[in-house]
Amino acid sequence: MVVVVVRPDTEPGREPAHGGGGAGGVADLRHWLAFYRKQAIFCPSMIDPMTRLPRTGRRPSAIGLLAVAHACNDVYQGAVLALVPFLVAERHYGYVGVSGIVLAATLLSSVVQPAFGALTDRRPMPWLIPGGIAAAGLGIALSGLTDVYALTWTAVALSGLGVAAYHPEAARMARAVTAGSHIGMSWFSLGGNIGWALAPVLVTPVLAVGGLSATPLLIVPAVIGVALVLWTRGRAGWDGAGTGAAKERAGEDNWPLFLRLSAVVICRSIAYVGLSAFISLYVRHHLDAGDTAGAAALFILFGGGAIGTLLGGRLAARWGRVRTLRVAYAVAVPSVAGIPFAPGPLVYVFVAATAVALYVPFSLHVTLGQDYLPRRVGTASGVTLGLAVSIGGIASPLVGALAEATSLRWALASLVSMPIACWVLSYTLTEPAAMESRSAGPKAGVAE
């Protein structure tokens, strides 16, 4: 038995300090591994190869690989929204029709994602990560190959199912390799934001040249993502990762707080997905411009979200998660309200402010949910990470119907009610006490 004395190098909401190597680095590494084994967040057979947080030579860190895979997966959520203008132009879908397509990408994901989370709570399933990416890409690739609305809807629904399968298990691994750090989780979430931001950049040029019949070319990110994950699996020894996972978690589940947090996630998702579905069409009409103007609005919305995600982790380390949520949603209210009434190109400024304000809380929802339900990390991740970018699609047909009954401007204006609801609900949340003790880690020593 070797006793390793480890200094208490973490504070609530702060990143652990890593030394430059030597005895201190060895002690830190043993500290991390012993802590992960105690928490039993995922299969022990995956701990050694997947917890190399610092770079070793030219090998990427575990959280870096997970972030890249997250980008390859979430590009297909943004791809659905980037398809909307082409569906309107080539197939003459109305607002309700395109809302149904957005619903196809989100309905299955919203319903099934918590189920995948519950399954991974019982038994880790790392194969869902490459499998989910593959299904997400295949669905989008098939979506433009038929003029039949029902078949297009089904193909997009398959993509949503793949997205649902990916998120809970990937979030579990991200929690493990970052020890639940706000900043670490923000980097993982950033991968998804980058995927969203790249979607219009990738989709618009391809479909502008080849039309909807060119959608099979959009499977390329999925191929890259799956290849990356399988390469990592072979080098990291993921085989047999579904066996031997302990079920014990530290702390007790707090369902009342988690349900309040879920309400915040739902309201935020309705606002963000509603804007994502229609902002491209609105800007094109508002500026009397073409596809490029709409794609630029989507890119700003998604790219601003990437900035907000990283900013959220930093602000939470300074202010705490709940306080950061309150400030972000307070800023989101005037930002969302300004989009439909901003004159000319100034609309882009409000789109950027909205993106940052709505994404500052994004990764914080994930870590809060995981700490509210420490015994059901997969379930918490499925709701807070997955549903955050999917369940809002259920309300998209209502936004589309309101747009047809009044105007797209007033439909977008109605979405300001959602950040108001988020801001009010945030005052019912508290920082979980379990996070305080878990972030501190072992203070004396770890026996191995």
Side-chain angles (χ1 to χ4, degrees), residues 328-351:
Y329 286 125
V331 173
V333 173
S335 300
V336 174
I339 290 177
F341 301 107
L346 192 60
V347 66
Y348 289 119
V349 176
F350 283 94
V351 170

Side-chain angles (χ1 to χ4, degrees), residues 158-301:
L158 172 63
S159 181
L161 184 63
V163 169
Y166 167 83
H167 276 117
E169 189 67 7
R172 176 194 302 279
M173 292 185 185
R175 174 183 170 90
V177 300
T178 64
S181 163
H182 314 328
I183 296 175
M185 186 61 75
S186 72
W187 280 104
F188 169 72
S189 300
L190 175 65
N193 302 153
I194 290 174
W196 272 72
L198 289 177
V201 177
L202 296 175
V203 172
T204 300
V206 170
L207 300 190
V209 174
L212 289 173
S213 61
T215 55
L217 296 176
L218 300 178
I219 202 171
V220 172
V223 173
I224 294 173
V226 170
L228 174 64
V229 170
L230 293 180
W231 175 81
T232 307
R233 176 178 179 173
R235 294 178 65 90
W238 286 16
D239 297 332
T243 62
K247 296 183 179 180
E248 287 296 322
R249 306 289 197 275
E252 296 295 330
D253 294 336
N254 190 326
W255 282 100
L257 279 175
F258 181 76
L259 292 176
R260 294 172 205 162
L261 176 66
S262 299
V264 173
V265 169
I266 290 170
C267 291
R268 176 215 170 268
S269 183
I270 292 173
Y272 189 80
V273 176
L275 285 171
S276 301
F278 297 106
I279 193 65
S280 178
L281 293 175
Y282 174 76
V283 169
R284 289 173 64 190
H285 175 75
H286 178 64
L287 299 180
D288 192 21
D291 294 338
T292 302
L298 273 180
F299 179 76
I300 291 172
L301 186 67

Side-chain angles (χ1 to χ4, degrees), residues 7 9-10 14-19 28 32:
R7 57 186 176 86
D9 57 358
T10 56
R14 298 294 301 272
E15 287 284 286
H18 291 286
D28 282 347
W32 282 100

Side-chain angles (χ1 to χ4, degrees), residues 23-49:
V26 174
D28 282 347
L29 178 59
R30 292 181 179 173
H31 166 93
W32 282 100
L33 298 185
F35 184 60
Y36 296 153
R37 290 188 183 105
K38 182 178 179 182
Q39 296 295 317
I41 296 174
F42 67 116
C43 178
S45 67
M46 297 172 60
I47 290 176
D48 286 334

Side-chain angles (χ1 to χ4, degrees), residues 319-343:
W319 294 346
R321 289 169 291 181
V322 173
R323 182 184 175 190
T324 301
L325 259 62
R326 293 169 184 166
V327 172
Y329 286 125
V331 173
V333 173
S335 300
V336 174
I339 290 177
F341 301 107

Side-chain angles (χ1 to χ4, degrees), residues 40-446:
I41 296 174
F42 67 116
C43 178
S45 67
M46 297 172 60
I47 290 176
D48 286 334
M50 290 300 291
T51 53
R52 297 186 180 107
L53 291 175
R55 291 184 180 274
T56 303
R58 295 185 178 180
R59 296 188 64 181
S61 66
I63 195 61
L65 294 173
L66 287 176
V68 172
H70 198 183
C72 292
N73 180 78
D74 281 17
V75 72
Y76 293 106
Q77 296 192 93
V80 174
L81 302 173
L83 283 172
V84 166
F86 296 94
L87 294 173
V88 172
E90 291 190 31
R91 299 182 183 174
H92 309 291
Y93 291 168
Y95 290 136
V96 174
V98 297
S99 297
I101 296 298
V102 175
L103 180 66
T106 57
L107 180 61
L108 274 178
S109 184
S110 299
V111 173
V112 175
Q113 203 143 188
F116 277 114
L119 286 174
T120 60
D121 282 333
R122 296 170 62 89
R123 179 177 180 176
M125 301 177 180
W127 57 268
L128 285 177
I129 297 178
I133 297 173
L138 180 62
I140 295 300
L142 297 175
S143 64
L145 298 183
T146 175
D147 292 332
V148 180
Y149 183 88
L151 294 180
T152 300
W153 194 97
T154 301
V156 175
L158 172 63
S159 181
L161 184 63
V163 169
Y166 167 83
H167 276 117
E169 189 67 7
R172 176 194 302 279
M173 292 185 185
R175 174 183 170 90
V177 300
T178 64
S181 163
H182 314 328
I183 296 175
M185 186 61 75
S186 72
W187 280 104
F188 169 72
S189 300
L190 175 65
N193 302 153
I194 290 174
W196 272 72
L198 289 177
V201 177
L202 296 175
V203 172
T204 300
V206 170
L207 300 190
V209 174
L212 289 173
S213 61
T215 55
L217 296 176
L218 300 178
I219 202 171
V220 172
V223 173
I224 294 173
V226 170
L228 174 64
V229 170
L230 293 180
W231 175 81
T232 307
R233 176 178 179 173
R235 294 178 65 90
W238 286 16
D239 297 332
T243 62
K247 296 183 179 180
E248 287 296 322
R249 306 289 197 275
E252 296 295 330
D253 294 336
N254 190 326
W255 282 100
L257 279 175
F258 181 76
L259 292 176
R260 294 172 205 162
L261 176 66
S262 299
V264 173
V265 169
I266 290 170
C267 291
R268 176 215 170 268
S269 183
I270 292 173
Y272 189 80
V273 176
L275 285 171
S276 301
F278 297 106
I279 193 65
S280 178
L281 293 175
Y282 174 76
V283 169
R284 289 173 64 190
H285 175 75
H286 178 64
L287 299 180
D288 192 21
D291 294 338
T292 302
L298 273 180
F299 179 76
I300 291 172
L301 186 67
F302 299 161
I307 296 173
T309 300
L310 288 181
L311 182 61
R314 298 292 177 177
L315 292 178
R318 180 181 296 272
W319 294 346
R321 289 169 291 181
V322 173
R323 182 184 175 190
T324 301
L325 259 62
R326 293 169 184 166
V327 172
Y329 286 125
V331 173
V333 173
S335 300
V336 174
I339 290 177
F341 301 107
L346 192 60
V347 66
Y348 289 119
V349 176
F350 283 94
V351 170
T354 295
V356 174
L358 289 181
Y359 258 97
V360 162
F362 185 72
S363 64
L364 309 183
H365 291 162
V366 180
T367 58
L368 276 172
Q370 291 174 337
D371 288 324
Y372 287 155
L373 298 184
R375 295 178 180 271
R376 293 173 175 82
V377 171
T379 300
S381 302
V383 173
T384 56
L385 181 61
L387 297 195
V389 290
S390 61
I391 199 169
I394 295 176
S396 291
L398 298 178
V399 179
L402 181 59
E404 292 189 343
T406 57
S407 69
L408 188 53
R409 167 173 288 178
W410 287 108
L412 294 181
S414 70
L415 293 175
V416 73
S417 60
M418 294 297 100
I420 292 175
C422 291
W423 179 69
V424 172
L425 288 168
S426 68
Y427 280 88
T428 69
L429 303 177
T430 60
E431 291 285 349
M435 182 63 187
E436 301 289 334
S437 60
R438 182 173 58 77
S439 295
K443 294 185 177 182
V446 178

